[in-house]
Amino acid sequence: GGDATPPSATASIADIPMSDGALPDGTSPDNNPASSSPGASATVPSSSAEDDSAASTFLFASESVTESHPDKLCDVVSDAVVDACLTLDPASRVACETVCKTGVVIVLGEITTSASINYEQVIRDAVRDAGYDDPAKGLDYKTCNVIVALEEQSPDIAQCVDAAKAEDVGAGDSCVAFGYACGETPELMPLSHVLATKLSARLAQVRKDGTLDWIRPDGKTQITLEYGHGEDGAPVPRRVHSIIISAQHSEEVSNDKIAADLMEHVVKPVVPEKLLDDRTLYHMNPSGRFVIGGPHSDAGLTGRKPVVDTYGGWGSYGGGALSGKDATKVDRSGAYAARWVAKSLVAGGYCSRCAVQLSFAIGLPHPVSVQVDTYGTCKNKNGMAERDLAKFVEREFDLRPGFIVKELDLRRPIMRKTAAYGHFGREEEDFKWEKVKDI
């Protein structure tokens, strides 16, 4: 394992093409983010687009959390266990859940592996890397109670996924998985999700590098964008409506300093200036106090941040969590395959945005169904209408569970990297589901 690696918080999202760089009313944005008070007392005047063109625009919000948020900490611990198993035995079967609360981390589930793992050490290392090294922060990796309750995988499940040939491997569970892609960003991801994620990554970065010495590990971000519509009806980002950041902090820092520091060192390096104007609202630690945080404040649980993990609320989300599972669990590998398909369709010019649904039945070596929804943006490339795309996908992609694992090389210990800051839209070399297939 290594630390959960944040995506670059200053990547080239400032170069994302806007429809015309103007606000919905046709005026140019005022590029002064400080012109709207960053204080905690800012008031949202409306929950809908606020100008005369409200009928043609809409608001959409996405949220994210730092790697040290209690739920996300549990994802990181679970995936650290997965990676520890895969490192020594790539054929390991892992279904690992984590629970954390004040002074305790509990790991429970089913693991079948030939590897000899010191699970307690893996868990403590992950808690340490998340920044929890003092009881005042809600957890201390050195002294916390670690409970390990792991058993072997059920033989009833094992017999249907154990196969000598990849083409015969059955799905490890029945599930529905979704993938999504759109043309809003170079990553082919929704801009609201990209910005929320990068704000959280930046919040962790300024803690780790010492830029802001008052920040503690727990944190959450939320951003609302105002969208218009392109010629094909696809959403087009116009401006940032509001930004919310909640950062756990030390006792002595003032609210004014928190607000000023978050604006200067978190918001400005991440959010393109052209998206901010004098109507943008800022809520910096709106509760007024966030000293008690982490597992001391809220219990954490693996799999409780699915929207943060995927597309920020856009598209759809399947029936199972992603972290804590090896790739025979199609909740995870099916979601990666569906993203691979969706991204390839958008990049290939077949549509401007799409959601791909795959369904699987436990023990069966083929998906039960494949569905593609382009939201009316199908470009009829090569004469293919939207109704033709599902069959096209089945011809171009082998979506049998065994082949998904093989094609995307999912027996490698890369899962901890995915556990924080999103499983999708990151140009990591190890994330082969982000490599567009030429179709």
Side-chain angles (χ1 to χ4, degrees), residues 242-257:
S242 54
I243 298 173
I244 306 168
I245 299 178
S246 294
Q248 186 187 8
H249 59 87
S250 60
E251 183 80 44
E252 66 279 359
V253 66
S254 70
N255 286 336
D256 286 344
K257 180 170 175 55

Side-chain angles (χ1 to χ4, degrees), residues 345 350 370 372 374 378 380-396:
L345 287 172
Y350 292 91
V370 177
V372 178
T374 71
C378 181
N380 297 309
K381 182 177 178 179
N382 299 332
M384 276 187 289
E386 181 166 322
R387 64 178 177 273
D388 304 315
L389 290 178
K391 290 295 183 185
F392 174 63
V393 165
E394 292 185 79
R395 290 196 304 270
E396 295 293 326

Side-chain angles (χ1 to χ4, degrees), residues 60-62 193 307-308 310-316:
F60 197 94
S62 294
H193 173 70
V307 168
V308 172
T310 53
Y311 307 103
W314 296 88
S316 298

Side-chain angles (χ1 to χ4, degrees), residues 264-309:
E264 184 65 28
H265 297 288
V266 179
V267 174
K268 287 184 178 180
V270 170
V271 182
E273 198 174 18
K274 65 183 176 182
L275 292 176
L276 302 171
D277 58 49
D278 58 4
R279 294 182 296 144
T280 300
L281 301 166
Y282 302 92
H283 301 273
M284 303 292 122
N285 274 25
S287 70
R289 182 176 170 87
F290 189 9
V291 174
I292 299 172
H296 189 189
S297 175
D298 297 288
L301 183 64
T302 299
R304 209 156 55 182
K305 285 290 175 281
V307 168
V308 172
D309 286 339

